[in-house]
């Protein structure tokens, strides 16, 4: 990889390099195809190779052949996520936008090979690693932005400081809400980094007809699909604001949007002291995986 502190090569104004985690399903997939259709170069990260092949085939049918690089990876693995960061550095000298979508619900507590609760590892830790790991390439862009698609504005749930891996209190919703609140704090801490030109957007699209329901029991899948037909937003509608964040990043270091409305940064779920505390705990956790 070339020196990320040096300016990147000149590129046409309309062409961006966009990295999308969770790029083979739902909103991530829609964003990847739409950006490729606009002429951008896209790196789509996903765990399913068949879905990756279908994504590339759809890009070709849409008249955007060769504009998407599919990088297969298990983002619940810290080592796997670090390998993805290295791979992106081999593909591109600059990253203009990082869209963070990867998430998967689990009805039971699953521990990864690195000893981490999988929801926390996938939904939060992979986003922490990708944001910080790609920061040198993002800093080389004239308009760098990270869009973290989670549940900002929601105040339910909390970070379980004494049990981040939910060894004592695992529930599907508990795990999802904890990771969502952790992503809120991730955005706060990242935006407070010294001399940081990368804009950070926390974006809650609301209930969307999106995502892989495969891990859920059949009755739950049926209920969610029935509710989605009645109340959920189409994927394209939920993705539309993300294009705006990419094309015209906000001026502020941190922006939080909940279903089209700005979220006050004074909200208790965006507490800077909690953000610093979680960042320190996260680094200690990641350091343990290196030496575990």
């Amino acid at each position: 990889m070339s020196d990320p502190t040096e300016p990147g090569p000149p590129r046409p104004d309309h062409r961006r390099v966009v990295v999308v985690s969770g790029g083979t399903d739902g909103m991530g997939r829609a964003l990847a195809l739409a950006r490729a259709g606009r002429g951008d170069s896209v790196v789509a990260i996903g765990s399913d190779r068949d879905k990756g092949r279908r994504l590339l085939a759809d890009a070709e049918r849409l008249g955007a052949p060769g504009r998407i690089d599919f990088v297969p990876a298990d983002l619940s693995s810290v080592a796997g996520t670090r390998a993805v960061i290295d791979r992106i550095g081999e593909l591109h000298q600059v990253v203009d936008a990082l869209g963070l979508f990867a998430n998967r619900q689990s009805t039971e507590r699953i521990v990864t090979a690195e000893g981490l609760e999988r929801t926390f590892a996938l939904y939060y830790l992979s986003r922490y690693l990708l944001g910080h790991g790609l920061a040198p390439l993002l800093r080389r862009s004239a308009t760098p932005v990270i869009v973290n698609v989670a549940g900002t504005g929601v105040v339910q749930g909390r970070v379980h400081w004494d049990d981040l891996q939910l060894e004592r209190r695992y529930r599907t919703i508990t795990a999802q809400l904890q990771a969502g609140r952790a992503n809120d704090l991730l955005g706060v801490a990242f935006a407070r980094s010294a001399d940081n030109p990368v804009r950070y957007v926390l974006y809650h699209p609301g209930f969307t007809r999106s995502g892989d329901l495969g891990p859920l029991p059949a009755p739950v899948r049926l209920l969610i699909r029935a509710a989605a037909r009645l109340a959920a937003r189409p994927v394209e509608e939920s993705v539309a604001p993300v294009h705006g964040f990419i094309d015209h990043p906000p001026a502020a270091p941190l922006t939080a949007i909940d279903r089209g409305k700005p979220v006050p940064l004074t909200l208790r779920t965006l507490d800077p002291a909690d953000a610093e505390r979680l960042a320190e705990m996260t680094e200690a956790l990641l350091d343990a995986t290196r030496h575990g």
Side-chain angles (χ1 to χ4, degrees), residues 34-57:
R35 298 312 303 191
R38 295 181 182 208
D40 289 347
S41 180
V42 178
V43 178
I45 309 165
S47 60
D48 190 311
R49 292 177 184 271
D50 287 337
K51 290 181 179 180
R53 284 189 282 269
R54 289 196 291 272
L55 176 70
L56 298 181

Side-chain angles (χ1 to χ4, degrees), residues 81-102:
T81 304
R82 288 186 172 128
V84 166
I85 293 166
D86 290 342
R87 177 58 180 151
I88 293 168
E90 294 169 358
L91 291 169
H92 296 287
Q93 298 179 42
V94 180
V95 170
D96 298 286
L98 171 60
L100 299 169
F101 294 87

Side-chain angles (χ1 to χ4, degrees), residues 183-251:
N183 277 304
D184 287 342
L185 299 177
L186 168 57
V188 173
F190 191 97
R192 289 167 63 87
S193 303
D195 301 319
N196 180 19
V198 183
R199 295 323 189 207
Y200 207 104
V201 179
L202 294 166
Y203 172 51
H204 180 202
F207 188 22
T208 301
R209 299 188 192 104
S210 176
D212 179 9
L213 302 178
L216 299 177
V220 176
R221 294 200 302 269
L222 289 172
L223 285 172
I224 291 176
R225 286 172 180 146
R229 285 194 292 270
L230 294 173
R233 302 170 71 189
V235 170
E236 294 74 14
E237 183 179 323
S238 291
V239 165
V242 181
H243 292 295
F245 302 141
I246 293 173
D247 293 333
H248 306 285

Side-chain angles (χ1 to χ4, degrees), residues 17-32:
V17 174
V18 180
V19 176
V20 185
S21 76
T24 59
D25 281 296
M27 289 179 61
R29 188 180 198 277
L31 181 70

Side-chain angles (χ1 to χ4, degrees), residues 15 38 64 76 94 104 114 131 160 168 185 187 228 240 263 281:
R15 182 177 179 274
R38 295 181 182 208
S76 68
V94 180
R104 176 171 290 191
E114 294 160 320
H160 297 266
R168 300 189 299 275
L185 299 177
V263 173
M281 292 179 71

Side-chain angles (χ1 to χ4, degrees), residues 10-286:
R11 294 168 296 151
D13 289 341
H14 69 279
R15 182 177 179 274
R16 289 176 170 83
V17 174
V18 180
V19 176
V20 185
S21 76
T24 59
D25 281 296
M27 289 179 61
R29 188 180 198 277
L31 181 70
L33 288 171
R35 298 312 303 191
R38 295 181 182 208
D40 289 347
S41 180
V42 178
V43 178
I45 309 165
S47 60
D48 190 311
R49 292 177 184 271
D50 287 337
K51 290 181 179 180
R53 284 189 282 269
R54 289 196 291 272
L55 176 70
L56 298 181
D58 284 348
E60 187 165 355
R61 279 194 291 272
L62 291 171
R67 292 184 189 156
I68 298 180
D69 285 298
F70 170 62
V71 177
D74 175 7
L75 292 178
S76 68
S77 162
V78 171
T81 304
R82 288 186 172 128
V84 166
I85 293 166
D86 290 342
R87 177 58 180 151
I88 293 168
E90 294 169 358
L91 291 169
H92 296 287
Q93 298 179 42
V94 180
V95 170
D96 298 286
L98 171 60
L100 299 169
F101 294 87
N103 183 23
R104 176 171 290 191
Q105 298 185 36
S106 177
T107 55
E108 61 182 18
R109 184 176 183 271
I110 297 173
V111 178
T112 70
E114 294 160 320
L116 301 168
E117 190 275 306
R118 191 176 69 177
T119 298
F120 189 79
L122 174 62
Y123 189 7
Y124 167 67
L125 283 180
S126 75
R127 300 183 185 211
Y128 183 98
L129 287 163
L130 287 168
H132 286 279
L134 293 175
L137 300 185
L138 283 158
R139 285 172 177 265
R140 298 181 69 188
S141 169
T143 56
V145 64
I146 297 174
V147 183
N148 189 336
V149 179
T152 196
V154 174
V155 296
Q156 289 82 7
R158 64 183 179 88
V159 175
H160 297 266
W161 300 106
D162 63 337
D163 187 21
L164 285 179
Q165 302 306 306
L166 299 180
E167 296 180 63
R168 300 189 299 275
R169 50 170 75 90
Y170 185 87
R171 296 288 186 277
T172 303
I173 297 302
T174 302
Q176 286 288 313
L177 287 174
Q178 171 174 255
R181 302 293 70 76
N183 277 304
D184 287 342
L185 299 177
L186 168 57
V188 173
F190 191 97
R192 289 167 63 87
S193 303
D195 301 319
N196 180 19
V198 183
R199 295 323 189 207
Y200 207 104
V201 179
L202 294 166
Y203 172 51
H204 180 202
F207 188 22
T208 301
R209 299 188 192 104
S210 176
D212 179 9
L213 302 178
L216 299 177
V220 176
R221 294 200 302 269
L222 289 172
L223 285 172
I224 291 176
R225 286 172 180 146
R229 285 194 292 270
L230 294 173
R233 302 170 71 189
V235 170
E236 294 74 14
E237 183 179 323
S238 291
V239 165
V242 181
H243 292 295
F245 302 141
I246 293 173
D247 293 333
H248 306 285
L254 177 65
T255 300
I257 302 292
D258 179 5
R259 289 160 287 190
K261 297 181 180 179
V263 173
L265 301 186
T266 53
L267 201 67
R268 61 180 174 82
T269 52
L270 301 173
D271 181 74
D274 284 346
E276 183 177 350
R277 180 184 182 186
L278 182 61
E280 291 174 355
M281 292 179 71
T282 301
E283 281 300 316
L285 186 64
L286 293 172

